[in-house]
Amino acid sequence: MAPTSTHRVRTACPLDCPDGCSLDVEVAGDRIVAIDATPPDEAANPLTEGWICRKVRRMTRRVHGPQRLTTPLARTGPKGSDRFERISWDEALDRVAAAIRTAIAEDGPASVVPYLYNSSAGVVAAAGLTPLVFEALGTASVDDTICAATAGEAWRLVLGTMPSGDPLDAPHSDLIVVWGANPTVSNSHFGTLVEQRRRAGTRLVVIDPRRTPLAGKADRHLGVRPGTDVVLALAVAAELERLGGVDRGFVAAHVEGADEYLAACRAWPVDRAAAVCGVAAADLTGLAADLVAAERPLLRVGWGMERNRNGGSAHRAALSLWALAGAFGRPGTGVVGSTSPKEPATGGIRAAVLGDAPPAAGRRVVNMNRLGAALAGEGGPVRVLLVQGSNPAATCPGQAAVHAGLAREDLFTVVHDQVLTDTARFADVVLPATTHFEADDLVAGYGSYVVQDAPAVIPRVGESRTNNEVAHGLAVRLGLDGAAFDPAPARLREALLAGLSPPLRLQREGFVQFRDVWPAHADGGEPRARLVATDADVRAGADRLPVFRENDQDGGPLTLLTPATNRTVTSMFAEYDPPDPAVRLHPDDAAARGLADGDPVVVSDGRHEVRVPVAVAPDVRAGVAVMPKGLWCEATPEGWTANVFAPDTLSDLAGGARFNDARVEVRPARP
Ligand SMILES: Nc1nc2c(c(=O)[nH]1)N[C@H]1C(S)=C(S)[C@@H](COP(=O)(O)OP(=O)(O)OC[C@H]3O[C@@H](n4cnc5c(=O)[nH]c(N)nc54)[C@H](O)[C@@H]3O)O[C@H]1N2
Ligand SMILES: Nc1nc2c(c(=O)[nH]1)N[C@H]1C(S)=C(S)[C@@H](COP(=O)(O)OP(=O)(O)OC[C@H]3O[C@@H](n4cnc5c(=O)[nH]c(N)nc54)[C@H](O)[C@@H]3O)O[C@H]1N2
Ligand code: SF4
Ligand SMILES: [Mo]
């Protein structure tokens, strides 16, 4: 056989990962043969540093793999089974449009629920036409609460629309605090950067119930009891005041509500807080002393600590600590969170499609985390569910209720995805989606300030179509203006860039929080950090000050955490490279239950059971169990993942998910 010549194409990675790597892809004919990083001196995103993760290096297994969907499918067997037949795109879109029309006619537009998330799609695919089709039809909309909503709202309350610090600023810091984040796995280029700085002498503090890889290298690790960070932050603030470390000049100029806030902190002397948080009192004082000693302290807040009942309070209190310490205004200081623009990226495309039509009023809003409840009728009937860029059967809290809802024979479900996910198995119609290697798009990772072109590198695999093409196909069938919903990527790209927010552009020159960019609150208040919520925000449901609440979940003595692993991006790739499903326990917790490493166990909350092996893990805090996020349901004999234990009640702010409030018991599995 003649050797096929290959060529190299440059693009970027849009997966739900902060890094936004620049990619070089080797292509032979219409197939990808290798995926790697763009060389360092040529990469649009310098964070890439010449390497990428194993997930994307191996991604040809998804792009060209046997599980790839290549044609639309229609269900022929019971819901949740694997029985489908191939149908044409016209047939598929006709069926979906007919189901939507019937539902609207019989039960009103609110009975149509578009579950769109697309956090691993490019910017144009994610912030594109699909939500606008449903807005134009006046259907329900789904509120993006499953991730980052709680942290984002806490940021808004304290810092307004001020952009995140730039992760590439970390080399200027003399103290880095990594709080509720595991960047070694979930933001790996930043993790490497922190390790480099640690070796160069920067002090490192990690606050995490697990001894993560960075915690193992840290100068101080506070192995906090899950959900108690708010107490930790309040107590450290009180210690900071006691040590004379509150930056009075900064506070007078740039902070509102410090007196009231500090008064509340004094209710948490270190001994009381240490008992609640399960850490040494000396480490609380020690962290306050670290902040006093440092000249350029940087905080990296993750999303691990938002996923519980106190998530909003915890994030507010962590940001407030930085404000009290005056840890802003100089290179290497400030807070790194999400670098996504604080305003929605959809603005430009919406204007191009819907003109200046005001947002449709009175639409039903479904909280993503309440999908199971919504499918059971909470807030009104659901007749049609369209899922795009998400796999809620595997990733949503309240998994049993989600599956029960998806199994309803009177629900018409459409899933647009690249592979036959756990959710797609429940669909009436399955639509094949492109991967990011098959369509032109833009990439703007949420852990860097670079916007990159991400051109297609190969032609479409099979008959796959983009999100915007599906939206256009539905729009024309549902009586909307086909020209307005033209899915041409160049048009959408241009419209999107026209609506791009200024901080993204500003960053090209570099900025420092409280020097070049300031808190900006929507009510036009002073450009100050706010430690106390405004009356308007309190009326909208925010606590006036951060509040600590005990976990109200029953289910067992162990708190079950489900952090990201290096195998998947949430559930993507778990079809061929799943994380180890084992439940990880501290040696004392394993011994107390008579368990040895590798023993088969039952994880149970009294309602559901999952059979997996146990891994005895000294890096896990006592009282805590750990299972991976992102497994597919086939990973356990019961067909449940850890999400069956995740409560579908909501966090204290923005209706966020409480994955890490799950409570379980672990017992030996007797054959
Ligand atoms: N490889 C890989 N990378 C990913 C992802 C992936 O699935 N795989 N997912 C992406 C997505 S969608 C997101 S949102 C980010 C998430 O990435 P991260 O922000 O790192 O979030 P998690 O992995 O959920 O949890 C991070 C850490 O928080 C700790 N934690 C749990 N509860 C608490 C608590 O109450 N307090 C404190 N202080 N710590 C706590 C956990 O032990 C864990 O080590 O990663 C993204 N990057
Ligand atoms: N137990 C537990 N569960 C969690 C979490 C946790 O900490 N613990 N974390 C949560 C977090 S942080 C998040 S962000 C959510 C994410 O949850 P999901 O939104 O369900 O994310 P994924 O599992 O990555 O599913 C994304 C799907 O989109 C498909 N896809 C990718 N690109 C495209 C595209 O361009 N078009 C279309 N149509 N499809 C595409 C992929 O194949 C994949 O099946 O999960 C949450 N689930
Ligand atoms: S998933 Fe993250 S680390 Fe991996 S290539 Fe994409 S951006 Fe880079
Ligand atoms: Mo996420």
Side-chain angles (χ1 to χ4, degrees), residues 158 177 179 207 232-240 245 261 265 287-288 291 299 315-328 531:
V158 181
V177 177
W179 200 331
I207 307 174
L232 192 152
L234 295 175
V236 174
E239 273 305 272
L240 192 71
Y261 187 89
C265 294
L287 175 53
L291 272 168
L299 172 61
H315 274 264
R316 286 175 66 189
L319 301 177
S320 298
L321 184 58
W322 246 241
L324 291 167
F328 288 99
L531 308 198

PDB file of all heavy atoms in Angstrom, residues 158 177 179 207 232-240 245 261 265 287-288 291 299 315-328 531:
ATOM      1  N   VAL A 158     -19.319  40.188  45.491  1.00  0.00           N
ATOM      2  CA  VAL A 158     -18.168  40.821  46.147  1.00  0.00           C
ATOM      3  C   VAL A 158     -17.418  41.748  45.190  1.00  0.00           C
ATOM      4  O   VAL A 158     -17.076  42.872  45.552  1.00  0.00           O
ATOM      5  CB  VAL A 158     -17.211  39.746  46.717  1.00  0.00           C
ATOM      6  CG1 VAL A 158     -16.013  40.409  47.416  1.00  0.00           C
ATOM      7  CG2 VAL A 158     -17.950  38.826  47.690  1.00  0.00           C
ATOM      8  N   VAL A 177      -2.279  30.608  47.188  1.00  0.00           N
ATOM      9  CA  VAL A 177      -3.241  29.798  47.932  1.00  0.00           C
ATOM     10  C   VAL A 177      -4.192  29.145  46.930  1.00  0.00           C
ATOM     11  O   VAL A 177      -4.877  29.843  46.177  1.00  0.00           O
ATOM     12  CB  VAL A 177      -4.027  30.646  48.955  1.00  0.00           C
ATOM     13  CG1 VAL A 177      -5.085  29.792  49.657  1.00  0.00           C
ATOM     14  CG2 VAL A 177      -3.071  31.264  49.978  1.00  0.00           C
ATOM     15  N   TRP A 179      -7.400  27.002  46.583  1.00  0.00           N
ATOM     16  CA  TRP A 179      -8.527  26.773  47.500  1.00  0.00           C
ATOM     17  C   TRP A 179      -9.655  26.052  46.755  1.00  0.00           C
ATOM     18  O   TRP A 179     -10.276  26.629  45.852  1.00  0.00           O
ATOM     19  CB  TRP A 179      -9.005  28.128  48.028  1.00  0.00           C
ATOM     20  CG  TRP A 179      -9.801  28.071  49.300  1.00  0.00           C
ATOM     21  CD1 TRP A 179     -10.592  27.047  49.735  1.00  0.00           C
ATOM     22  CD2 TRP A 179      -9.883  29.098  50.304  1.00  0.00           C
ATOM     23  NE1 TRP A 179     -11.147  27.365  50.946  1.00  0.00           N
ATOM     24  CE2 TRP A 179     -10.741  28.611  51.324  1.00  0.00           C
ATOM     25  CE3 TRP A 179      -9.322  30.377  50.441  1.00  0.00           C
ATOM     26  CZ2 TRP A 179     -11.057  29.373  52.456  1.00  0.00           C
ATOM     27  CZ3 TRP A 179      -9.637  31.126  51.566  1.00  0.00           C
ATOM     28  CH2 TRP A 179     -10.490  30.629  52.565  1.00  0.00           C
ATOM     29  N   ILE A 207      -5.969  24.333  50.355  1.00  0.00           N
ATOM     30  CA  ILE A 207      -7.117  24.087  51.243  1.00  0.00           C
ATOM     31  C   ILE A 207      -8.028  23.088  50.532  1.00  0.00           C
ATOM     32  O   ILE A 207      -8.669  23.426  49.525  1.00  0.00           O
ATOM     33  CB  ILE A 207      -7.858  25.402  51.556  1.00  0.00           C
ATOM     34  CG1 ILE A 207      -6.864  26.446  52.096  1.00  0.00           C
ATOM     35  CG2 ILE A 207      -8.992  25.144  52.554  1.00  0.00           C
ATOM     36  CD1 ILE A 207      -7.450  27.828  52.308  1.00  0.00           C
ATOM     37  N   LEU A 232     -13.810  28.585  57.937  1.00  0.00           N
ATOM     38  CA  LEU A 232     -12.356  28.741  57.864  1.00  0.00           C
ATOM     39  C   LEU A 232     -11.994  30.173  57.454  1.00  0.00           C
ATOM     40  O   LEU A 232     -11.151  30.829  58.082  1.00  0.00           O
ATOM     41  CB  LEU A 232     -11.811  27.716  56.862  1.00  0.00           C
ATOM     42  CG  LEU A 232     -10.302  27.490  56.827  1.00  0.00           C
ATOM     43  CD1 LEU A 232      -9.991  26.066  56.349  1.00  0.00           C
ATOM     44  CD2 LEU A 232      -9.591  28.482  55.936  1.00  0.00           C
ATOM     45  N   ALA A 233     -12.667  30.661  56.421  1.00  0.00           N
ATOM     46  CA  ALA A 233     -12.336  31.995  55.911  1.00  0.00           C
ATOM     47  C   ALA A 233     -12.709  33.087  56.912  1.00  0.00           C
ATOM     48  O   ALA A 233     -11.981  34.073  57.069  1.00  0.00           O
ATOM     49  CB  ALA A 233     -13.054  32.228  54.579  1.00  0.00           C
ATOM     50  N   LEU A 234     -13.849  32.921  57.606  1.00  0.00           N
ATOM     51  CA  LEU A 234     -14.248  33.925  58.605  1.00  0.00           C
ATOM     52  C   LEU A 234     -13.242  33.938  59.757  1.00  0.00           C
ATOM     53  O   LEU A 234     -12.836  35.006  60.234  1.00  0.00           O
ATOM     54  CB  LEU A 234     -15.659  33.626  59.123  1.00  0.00           C
ATOM     55  CG  LEU A 234     -16.810  33.730  58.107  1.00  0.00           C
ATOM     56  CD1 LEU A 234     -18.135  33.285  58.734  1.00  0.00           C
ATOM     57  CD2 LEU A 234     -16.945  35.134  57.534  1.00  0.00           C
ATOM     58  N   ALA A 235     -12.829  32.752  60.194  1.00  0.00           N
ATOM     59  CA  ALA A 235     -11.891  32.678  61.315  1.00  0.00           C
ATOM     60  C   ALA A 235     -10.528  33.261  60.943  1.00  0.00           C
ATOM     61  O   ALA A 235      -9.893  33.953  61.748  1.00  0.00           O
ATOM     62  CB  ALA A 235     -11.741  31.220  61.763  1.00  0.00           C
ATOM     63  N   VAL A 236     -10.073  32.992  59.728  1.00  0.00           N
ATOM     64  CA  VAL A 236      -8.775  33.547  59.314  1.00  0.00           C
ATOM     65  C   VAL A 236      -8.870  35.069  59.211  1.00  0.00           C
ATOM     66  O   VAL A 236      -7.922  35.782  59.562  1.00  0.00           O
ATOM     67  CB  VAL A 236      -8.287  32.897  57.995  1.00  0.00           C
ATOM     68  CG1 VAL A 236      -7.021  33.571  57.485  1.00  0.00           C
ATOM     69  CG2 VAL A 236      -8.029  31.397  58.204  1.00  0.00           C
ATOM     70  N   ALA A 237     -10.030  35.567  58.776  1.00  0.00           N
ATOM     71  CA  ALA A 237     -10.202  37.030  58.728  1.00  0.00           C
ATOM     72  C   ALA A 237     -10.115  37.625  60.137  1.00  0.00           C
ATOM     73  O   ALA A 237      -9.490  38.671  60.349  1.00  0.00           O
ATOM     74  CB  ALA A 237     -11.540  37.374  58.080  1.00  0.00           C
ATOM     75  N   ALA A 238     -10.743  36.956  61.106  1.00  0.00           N
ATOM     76  CA  ALA A 238     -10.678  37.447  62.491  1.00  0.00           C
ATOM     77  C   ALA A 238      -9.232  37.401  63.005  1.00  0.00           C
ATOM     78  O   ALA A 238      -8.782  38.323  63.699  1.00  0.00           O
ATOM     79  CB  ALA A 238     -11.592  36.611  63.392  1.00  0.00           C
ATOM     80  N   GLU A 239      -8.514  36.356  62.654  1.00  0.00           N
ATOM     81  CA  GLU A 239      -7.099  36.253  63.050  1.00  0.00           C
ATOM     82  C   GLU A 239      -6.265  37.343  62.382  1.00  0.00           C
ATOM     83  O   GLU A 239      -5.370  37.928  62.993  1.00  0.00           O
ATOM     84  CB  GLU A 239      -6.520  34.876  62.657  1.00  0.00           C
ATOM     85  CG  GLU A 239      -6.731  33.796  63.674  1.00  0.00           C
ATOM     86  CD  GLU A 239      -6.205  34.165  65.059  1.00  0.00           C
ATOM     87  OE1 GLU A 239      -5.018  33.919  65.356  1.00  0.00           O
ATOM     88  OE2 GLU A 239      -7.013  34.711  65.841  1.00  0.00           O
ATOM     89  N   LEU A 240      -6.574  37.596  61.111  1.00  0.00           N
ATOM     90  CA  LEU A 240      -5.857  38.637  60.381  1.00  0.00           C
ATOM     91  C   LEU A 240      -6.010  39.968  61.110  1.00  0.00           C
ATOM     92  O   LEU A 240      -5.043  40.715  61.298  1.00  0.00           O
ATOM     93  CB  LEU A 240      -6.434  38.728  58.963  1.00  0.00           C
ATOM     94  CG  LEU A 240      -5.655  39.559  57.953  1.00  0.00           C
ATOM     95  CD1 LEU A 240      -4.361  38.855  57.558  1.00  0.00           C
ATOM     96  CD2 LEU A 240      -6.503  39.798  56.694  1.00  0.00           C
ATOM     97  N   GLY A 245      -3.232  42.540  60.577  1.00  0.00           N
ATOM     98  CA  GLY A 245      -2.978  42.358  59.144  1.00  0.00           C
ATOM     99  C   GLY A 245      -4.069  42.876  58.234  1.00  0.00           C
ATOM    100  O   GLY A 245      -3.950  42.751  57.010  1.00  0.00           O
ATOM    101  N   TYR A 261     -18.660  43.093  58.622  1.00  0.00           N
ATOM    102  CA  TYR A 261     -18.134  41.771  58.265  1.00  0.00           C
ATOM    103  C   TYR A 261     -17.185  41.266  59.350  1.00  0.00           C
ATOM    104  O   TYR A 261     -17.297  40.121  59.813  1.00  0.00           O
ATOM    105  CB  TYR A 261     -17.413  41.866  56.908  1.00  0.00           C
ATOM    106  CG  TYR A 261     -16.967  40.525  56.368  1.00  0.00           C
ATOM    107  CD1 TYR A 261     -17.813  39.767  55.564  1.00  0.00           C
ATOM    108  CD2 TYR A 261     -15.698  40.024  56.650  1.00  0.00           C
ATOM    109  CE1 TYR A 261     -17.412  38.537  55.070  1.00  0.00           C
ATOM    110  CE2 TYR A 261     -15.291  38.794  56.162  1.00  0.00           C
ATOM    111  CZ  TYR A 261     -16.154  38.058  55.369  1.00  0.00           C
ATOM    112  OH  TYR A 261     -15.754  36.836  54.886  1.00  0.00           O
ATOM    113  N   CYS A 265     -17.021  37.951  61.850  1.00  0.00           N
ATOM    114  CA  CYS A 265     -15.863  37.034  61.894  1.00  0.00           C
ATOM    115  C   CYS A 265     -15.453  36.733  63.329  1.00  0.00           C
ATOM    116  O   CYS A 265     -15.001  35.623  63.637  1.00  0.00           O
ATOM    117  CB  CYS A 265     -14.672  37.633  61.154  1.00  0.00           C
ATOM    118  SG  CYS A 265     -14.954  37.807  59.379  1.00  0.00           S
ATOM    119  N   LEU A 287      -2.252  30.557  58.535  1.00  0.00           N
ATOM    120  CA  LEU A 287      -2.630  31.115  57.235  1.00  0.00           C
ATOM    121  C   LEU A 287      -2.766  32.637  57.329  1.00  0.00           C
ATOM    122  O   LEU A 287      -2.332  33.368  56.421  1.00  0.00           O
ATOM    123  CB  LEU A 287      -3.941  30.482  56.748  1.00  0.00           C
ATOM    124  CG  LEU A 287      -4.535  31.035  55.450  1.00  0.00           C
ATOM    125  CD1 LEU A 287      -3.520  31.043  54.303  1.00  0.00           C
ATOM    126  CD2 LEU A 287      -5.776  30.247  55.045  1.00  0.00           C
ATOM    127  N   ALA A 288      -3.330  33.116  58.442  1.00  0.00           N
ATOM    128  CA  ALA A 288      -3.409  34.572  58.627  1.00  0.00           C
ATOM    129  C   ALA A 288      -2.004  35.171  58.645  1.00  0.00           C
ATOM    130  O   ALA A 288      -1.742  36.208  58.021  1.00  0.00           O
ATOM    131  CB  ALA A 288      -4.156  34.896  59.923  1.00  0.00           C
ATOM    132  N   LEU A 291      -0.513  35.435  55.247  1.00  0.00           N
ATOM    133  CA  LEU A 291      -1.038  36.587  54.513  1.00  0.00           C
ATOM    134  C   LEU A 291      -0.376  37.883  54.977  1.00  0.00           C
ATOM    135  O   LEU A 291      -0.115  38.777  54.173  1.00  0.00           O
ATOM    136  CB  LEU A 291      -2.555  36.684  54.707  1.00  0.00           C
ATOM    137  CG  LEU A 291      -3.408  35.896  53.716  1.00  0.00           C
ATOM    138  CD1 LEU A 291      -4.857  35.836  54.169  1.00  0.00           C
ATOM    139  CD2 LEU A 291      -3.321  36.535  52.327  1.00  0.00           C
ATOM    140  N   LEU A 299      -4.651  34.269  45.121  1.00  0.00           N
ATOM    141  CA  LEU A 299      -5.643  33.242  45.449  1.00  0.00           C
ATOM    142  C   LEU A 299      -6.145  32.602  44.163  1.00  0.00           C
ATOM    143  O   LEU A 299      -6.550  33.290  43.233  1.00  0.00           O
ATOM    144  CB  LEU A 299      -6.820  33.893  46.196  1.00  0.00           C
ATOM    145  CG  LEU A 299      -8.053  33.019  46.460  1.00  0.00           C
ATOM    146  CD1 LEU A 299      -7.707  31.808  47.316  1.00  0.00           C
ATOM    147  CD2 LEU A 299      -9.153  33.856  47.124  1.00  0.00           C
ATOM    148  N   HIS A 315     -17.315  30.967  48.854  1.00  0.00           N
ATOM    149  CA  HIS A 315     -16.627  31.793  47.854  1.00  0.00           C
ATOM    150  C   HIS A 315     -16.617  33.263  48.271  1.00  0.00           C
ATOM    151  O   HIS A 315     -15.601  33.948  48.128  1.00  0.00           O
ATOM    152  CB  HIS A 315     -17.273  31.609  46.481  1.00  0.00           C
ATOM    153  CG  HIS A 315     -16.721  30.435  45.733  1.00  0.00           C
ATOM    154  ND1 HIS A 315     -15.712  30.548  44.803  1.00  0.00           N
ATOM    155  CD2 HIS A 315     -16.989  29.117  45.830  1.00  0.00           C
ATOM    156  CE1 HIS A 315     -15.407  29.350  44.335  1.00  0.00           C
ATOM    157  NE2 HIS A 315     -16.172  28.456  44.936  1.00  0.00           N
ATOM    158  N   ARG A 316     -17.741  33.750  48.773  1.00  0.00           N
ATOM    159  CA  ARG A 316     -17.763  35.155  49.208  1.00  0.00           C
ATOM    160  C   ARG A 316     -16.720  35.393  50.299  1.00  0.00           C
ATOM    161  O   ARG A 316     -15.999  36.397  50.291  1.00  0.00           O
ATOM    162  CB  ARG A 316     -19.155  35.516  49.744  1.00  0.00           C
ATOM    163  CG  ARG A 316     -20.207  35.666  48.656  1.00  0.00           C
ATOM    164  CD  ARG A 316     -21.585  35.895  49.262  1.00  0.00           C
ATOM    165  NE  ARG A 316     -21.690  37.170  49.961  1.00  0.00           N
ATOM    166  CZ  ARG A 316     -22.738  37.514  50.719  1.00  0.00           C
ATOM    167  NH1 ARG A 316     -23.762  36.663  50.860  1.00  0.00           N
ATOM    168  NH2 ARG A 316     -22.775  38.684  51.318  1.00  0.00           N
ATOM    169  N   ALA A 317     -16.634  34.456  51.247  1.00  0.00           N
ATOM    170  CA  ALA A 317     -15.720  34.661  52.370  1.00  0.00           C
ATOM    171  C   ALA A 317     -14.258  34.574  51.926  1.00  0.00           C
ATOM    172  O   ALA A 317     -13.400  35.297  52.445  1.00  0.00           O
ATOM    173  CB  ALA A 317     -16.024  33.641  53.467  1.00  0.00           C
ATOM    174  N   ALA A 318     -13.963  33.711  50.969  1.00  0.00           N
ATOM    175  CA  ALA A 318     -12.578  33.620  50.477  1.00  0.00           C
ATOM    176  C   ALA A 318     -12.190  34.916  49.762  1.00  0.00           C
ATOM    177  O   ALA A 318     -11.103  35.470  49.989  1.00  0.00           O
ATOM    178  CB  ALA A 318     -12.437  32.413  49.541  1.00  0.00           C
ATOM    179  N   LEU A 319     -13.085  35.424  48.908  1.00  0.00           N
ATOM    180  CA  LEU A 319     -12.791  36.682  48.197  1.00  0.00           C
ATOM    181  C   LEU A 319     -12.671  37.833  49.192  1.00  0.00           C
ATOM    182  O   LEU A 319     -11.810  38.717  49.054  1.00  0.00           O
ATOM    183  CB  LEU A 319     -13.895  36.989  47.178  1.00  0.00           C
ATOM    184  CG  LEU A 319     -14.136  35.936  46.087  1.00  0.00           C
ATOM    185  CD1 LEU A 319     -15.311  36.342  45.196  1.00  0.00           C
ATOM    186  CD2 LEU A 319     -12.888  35.718  45.240  1.00  0.00           C
ATOM    187  N   SER A 320     -13.515  37.802  50.220  1.00  0.00           N
ATOM    188  CA  SER A 320     -13.509  38.891  51.208  1.00  0.00           C
ATOM    189  C   SER A 320     -12.200  38.916  51.996  1.00  0.00           C
ATOM    190  O   SER A 320     -11.690  39.981  52.369  1.00  0.00           O
ATOM    191  CB  SER A 320     -14.695  38.738  52.164  1.00  0.00           C
ATOM    192  OG  SER A 320     -15.910  38.823  51.441  1.00  0.00           O
ATOM    193  N   LEU A 321     -11.644  37.732  52.235  1.00  0.00           N
ATOM    194  CA  LEU A 321     -10.364  37.654  52.950  1.00  0.00           C
ATOM    195  C   LEU A 321      -9.280  38.394  52.155  1.00  0.00           C
ATOM    196  O   LEU A 321      -8.461  39.125  52.723  1.00  0.00           O
ATOM    197  CB  LEU A 321      -9.998  36.170  53.138  1.00  0.00           C
ATOM    198  CG  LEU A 321      -8.752  35.853  53.948  1.00  0.00           C
ATOM    199  CD1 LEU A 321      -8.839  36.424  55.356  1.00  0.00           C
ATOM    200  CD2 LEU A 321      -8.543  34.329  53.997  1.00  0.00           C
ATOM    201  N   TRP A 322      -9.314  38.202  50.839  1.00  0.00           N
ATOM    202  CA  TRP A 322      -8.328  38.891  49.996  1.00  0.00           C
ATOM    203  C   TRP A 322      -8.510  40.410  50.055  1.00  0.00           C
ATOM    204  O   TRP A 322      -7.548  41.177  50.056  1.00  0.00           O
ATOM    205  CB  TRP A 322      -8.407  38.355  48.559  1.00  0.00           C
ATOM    206  CG  TRP A 322      -7.156  37.620  48.185  1.00  0.00           C
ATOM    207  CD1 TRP A 322      -6.303  37.944  47.170  1.00  0.00           C
ATOM    208  CD2 TRP A 322      -6.576  36.485  48.842  1.00  0.00           C
ATOM    209  NE1 TRP A 322      -5.237  37.070  47.171  1.00  0.00           N
ATOM    210  CE2 TRP A 322      -5.380  36.176  48.176  1.00  0.00           C
ATOM    211  CE3 TRP A 322      -6.930  35.718  49.943  1.00  0.00           C
ATOM    212  CZ2 TRP A 322      -4.544  35.123  48.561  1.00  0.00           C
ATOM    213  CZ3 TRP A 322      -6.115  34.657  50.337  1.00  0.00           C
ATOM    214  CH2 TRP A 322      -4.941  34.380  49.640  1.00  0.00           C
ATOM    215  N   ALA A 323      -9.774  40.842  50.134  1.00  0.00           N
ATOM    216  CA  ALA A 323     -10.038  42.277  50.200  1.00  0.00           C
ATOM    217  C   ALA A 323      -9.537  42.851  51.525  1.00  0.00           C
ATOM    218  O   ALA A 323      -8.909  43.915  51.564  1.00  0.00           O
ATOM    219  CB  ALA A 323     -11.532  42.537  50.026  1.00  0.00           C
ATOM    220  N   LEU A 324      -9.793  42.142  52.630  1.00  0.00           N
ATOM    221  CA  LEU A 324      -9.356  42.639  53.942  1.00  0.00           C
ATOM    222  C   LEU A 324      -7.836  42.723  54.015  1.00  0.00           C
ATOM    223  O   LEU A 324      -7.277  43.628  54.637  1.00  0.00           O
ATOM    224  CB  LEU A 324      -9.892  41.725  55.051  1.00  0.00           C
ATOM    225  CG  LEU A 324     -11.409  41.776  55.255  1.00  0.00           C
ATOM    226  CD1 LEU A 324     -11.868  40.624  56.143  1.00  0.00           C
ATOM    227  CD2 LEU A 324     -11.838  43.124  55.845  1.00  0.00           C
ATOM    228  N   ALA A 325      -7.175  41.752  53.358  1.00  0.00           N
ATOM    229  CA  ALA A 325      -5.705  41.753  53.375  1.00  0.00           C
ATOM    230  C   ALA A 325      -5.129  42.773  52.396  1.00  0.00           C
ATOM    231  O   ALA A 325      -3.912  42.980  52.351  1.00  0.00           O
ATOM    232  CB  ALA A 325      -5.183  40.348  53.047  1.00  0.00           C
ATOM    233  N   GLY A 326      -5.989  43.389  51.602  1.00  0.00           N
ATOM    234  CA  GLY A 326      -5.498  44.344  50.592  1.00  0.00           C
ATOM    235  C   GLY A 326      -4.608  43.662  49.575  1.00  0.00           C
ATOM    236  O   GLY A 326      -3.672  44.270  49.039  1.00  0.00           O
ATOM    237  N   ALA A 327      -4.931  42.390  49.293  1.00  0.00           N
ATOM    238  CA  ALA A 327      -4.044  41.595  48.435  1.00  0.00           C
ATOM    239  C   ALA A 327      -4.384  41.797  46.960  1.00  0.00           C
ATOM    240  O   ALA A 327      -4.639  40.847  46.215  1.00  0.00           O
ATOM    241  CB  ALA A 327      -4.141  40.117  48.829  1.00  0.00           C
ATOM    242  N   PHE A 328      -4.429  43.049  46.560  1.00  0.00           N
ATOM    243  CA  PHE A 328      -4.758  43.438  45.182  1.00  0.00           C
ATOM    244  C   PHE A 328      -3.837  44.606  44.791  1.00  0.00           C
ATOM    245  O   PHE A 328      -3.151  45.175  45.642  1.00  0.00           O
ATOM    246  CB  PHE A 328      -6.207  43.931  45.106  1.00  0.00           C
ATOM    247  CG  PHE A 328      -7.256  42.841  45.244  1.00  0.00           C
ATOM    248  CD1 PHE A 328      -7.882  42.614  46.461  1.00  0.00           C
ATOM    249  CD2 PHE A 328      -7.607  42.064  44.150  1.00  0.00           C
ATOM    250  CE1 PHE A 328      -8.858  41.623  46.579  1.00  0.00           C
ATOM    251  CE2 PHE A 328      -8.575  41.072  44.266  1.00  0.00           C
ATOM    252  CZ  PHE A 328      -9.197  40.843  45.483  1.00  0.00           C
ATOM    253  N   LEU A 531     -18.412  43.427  51.041  1.00  0.00           N
ATOM    254  CA  LEU A 531     -18.397  42.269  51.926  1.00  0.00           C
ATOM    255  C   LEU A 531     -19.786  41.963  52.470  1.00  0.00           C
ATOM    256  O   LEU A 531     -20.006  40.906  53.048  1.00  0.00           O
ATOM    257  CB  LEU A 531     -17.410  42.485  53.073  1.00  0.00           C
ATOM    258  CG  LEU A 531     -15.988  42.907  52.666  1.00  0.00           C
ATOM    259  CD1 LEU A 531     -15.013  42.668  53.824  1.00  0.00           C
ATOM    260  CD2 LEU A 531     -15.492  42.208  51.418  1.00  0.00           C
TER     261      LEU A 531
END
